[in-house]
């Protein structure tokens, strides 16, 4: 990283004495050399970034991305996934085990850790709860933790056996491992691909009801309480789930949760056009659910926001809605969606920079002088077009593709590296 001087940025860091003040930041050799209200430098090789009207914060952390490697590199590999993440303001990501083979042993964990070495974006593997994500027997949780896994989940496969989930919670508790639940009861969801409600009735499509999610949230909360273990719920989407988790936190349970950015903006009304890019899991819900999710973010029930970046080749999305695969590419569109949802810069930083790291019990980077520079510079009003030129992913399955978006990541700094989005 060259010596860089960022000038006139608004610092967003609730823990810093200059929070919401206009500051200059001098970066040298990958470290914060100086942070003050005004900095003057005589360095002729200095690169200056005028950040007037923009915000500077700790680098974003994404708790839910799918990179495809190993096995599905045609969808996304670690290099292209990291490039998309960096363009979206993320300096760290946790990758889901939806791979082939799944991340279910120390070998796959080591592969990801070693492949990602030297990246600007820190890549943390999430190991499986069960072998092969089949939901039958526990995977090698402790071995994976020792090798670098930061949590355990069966990805987009919900653990249907309550006994297996209970054993996972109890076993992981012994070494401070975190179990992540993808809450969906398959027997109720029925493999249906959109929200059950007025729109599904109008379209004549079988729906996936809120109950499929909330009943699994309820089950896993009981299991976590019984085993006195910590649990994290990935991508909740319903009013009922927010209410259940809020009550569990009030009881003192060790529970956290996140929500996907698209579930804060899009509703099941979008499905009327049968655009398969609106097909996600959990499905897009209703305005009532979005209202509850936004309230849950505000009152602290929801700890983090994720992209749920899920790339697919064109043959898996450019087909009939019913048979299309779930998921959208989303690393680069999280910020514009959160601005559209009405979140303030402070709320965005809390749910993208601080909250995710706290969920995983990882240290929150420091903004003190002498600390490693782990930063994102973003604007809440600059416009840009998300298209083939700006897209860094291998895939293009996004309902926002080709649109002008408001809210742009201007630069990220981490591991003595810089990416600037011109």
């Amino acid at each position: 990283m060259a010596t860089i001087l960022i000038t006139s940025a608004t610092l967003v860091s609730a823990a810093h004495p200059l929070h919401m003040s206009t500051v200059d930041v001098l970066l040298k050799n990958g470290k914060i050399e100086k942070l003050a209200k005004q900095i003057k430098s005589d360095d002729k090789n200095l690169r200056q970034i005028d950040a007037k009207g923009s915000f500077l914060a700790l680098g974003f952390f994404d708790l839910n991305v799918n990179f495809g490697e190993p096995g599905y590199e045609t969808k996304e590999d670690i290099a292209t996934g990291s490039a998309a993440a960096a363009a979206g303001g993320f300096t760290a990501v946790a990758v889901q085990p939806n791979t082939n083979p799944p991340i279910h042993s120390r070998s796959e964990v080591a592969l990801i850790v070693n492949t990602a070495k030297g990246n600007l974006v820190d890549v943390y593997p999430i190991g499986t709860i069960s072998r092969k994500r089949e939901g039958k027997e526990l995977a090698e949780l402790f071995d994976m933790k020792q090798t670098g896994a930061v949590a355990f989940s069966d990805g987009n496969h919900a653990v249907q056996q309550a006994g297996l989930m209970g054993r996972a919670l109890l076993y992981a508790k012994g070494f401070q491992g975190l179990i992540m639940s993808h809450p969906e009861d398959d027997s109720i969801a029925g493999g249906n691909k959109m929200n059950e409600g007025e729109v599904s009735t109008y379209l004549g499509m079988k729906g996936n009801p809120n109950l499929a999610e909330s009943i699994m949230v309820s089950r896993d909360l009981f299991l976590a309480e019984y085993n006195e273990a910590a649990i994290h719920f990935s991508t909740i989407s319903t009013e009922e789930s927010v209410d259940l988790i809020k009550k569990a936190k009030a009881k003192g349970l060790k529970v956290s949760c996140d929500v996907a950015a698209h579930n804060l903006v899009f509703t099941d009304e979008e499905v009327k056009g049968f655009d398969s890019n609106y097909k996600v899991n959990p499905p897009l819900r209703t305005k009532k659910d979005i209202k509850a999710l936004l309230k849950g973010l505000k009152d602290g029930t929801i700890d983090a926001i994720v992209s749920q970046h899920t790339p697919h080749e064109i043959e898996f999305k450019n087909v009939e809605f019913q048979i299309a695969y779930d998921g959208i590419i989303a690393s680069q569109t999280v910020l514009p969606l959160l601005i559209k949802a009405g979140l303030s810069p402070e709320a965005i930083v809390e749910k993208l920079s601080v909250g995710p790291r706290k969920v995983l019990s990882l240290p929150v980077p420091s903004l003190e002088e002498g600390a490693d520079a782990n930063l994102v510079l973003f604007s809440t009003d600059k416009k840009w077009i998300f298209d083939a030129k700006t897209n860094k992913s291998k895939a293009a399955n996004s309902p926002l593709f080709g649109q002008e978006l408001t809210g742009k990541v201007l630069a990220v700094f981490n591991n003595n590296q810089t990416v600037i989005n011109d």
Side-chain angles (χ1 to χ4, degrees), residues 63-64 153 165 169 178-184 213-224 229-237 241-242 244-246 248-249 253-260 301-304 306 359:
L63 284 173
N64 190 319
S153 165
M165 180 57 96
L169 288 163
L178 179 65
I179 298 295
M180 291 181 161
S181 169
H182 173 70
E184 184 177 72
E213 177 176 300
S214 56
I215 202 168
M216 194 63 91
V217 170
S218 181
R219 183 202 78 173
D220 287 350
L221 284 173
F222 275 118
L223 291 170
I231 190 165
H232 177 82
F233 292 97
S234 298
T235 59
I236 65 168
S237 66
S241 295
V242 174
L244 286 165
I245 293 168
K246 184 176 183 178
K249 285 191 170 188
L253 270 66
K254 301 172 187 175
V255 55
S256 57
C257 64
D258 64 58
V259 61
T301 301
I302 300 175
D303 302 87
V306 302
V359 165

Side-chain angles (χ1 to χ4, degrees), residues 84-95:
F90 296 97
T91 57
V93 297
V95 290

